[in-house]
Amino acid sequence: MKPSVPFEKHHSEFLSDPVRARAYLEVVLEEYARDQEESALLLALKDVASARN
């Protein structure tokens, strides 16, 4: 069996691609427009900013 990769590492690598990061943020913004869940929006912004460093 192939060893698993920690979620945080995979998520960061995924979001380091600008196209994927943009798509992720577009979905998060759509959800925010619907449910006004500020904590989810802030977490997504933090994740993208961290992946870009």
Side-chain angles (χ1 to χ4, degrees), residues 6-23:
F7 172 78
E8 292 80 11
K9 181 177 182 192
H10 172 74
H11 193 55
S12 182
E13 289 173 359
F14 182 86
L15 293 175
S16 67
D17 177 332
V19 173
R20 290 178 175 169
R22 179 182 174 144

Side-chain angles (χ1 to χ4, degrees), residues 2-53:
K2 185 177 176 182
S4 63
V5 176
F7 172 78
E8 292 80 11
K9 181 177 182 192
H10 172 74
H11 193 55
S12 182
E13 289 173 359
F14 182 86
L15 293 175
S16 67
D17 177 332
V19 173
R20 290 178 175 169
R22 179 182 174 144
Y24 177 73
L25 289 175
E26 286 175 353
V27 169
V28 168
L29 288 169
E30 287 174 10
E31 291 179 0
Y32 178 73
R34 185 180 60 243
D35 63 22
Q36 300 294 303
E37 184 61 45
E38 190 173 291
S39 61
L41 174 62
L42 293 174
L43 179 60
L45 292 171
K46 178 183 137 308
D47 288 346
V48 171
S50 293
R52 302 285 295 174
N53 287 329

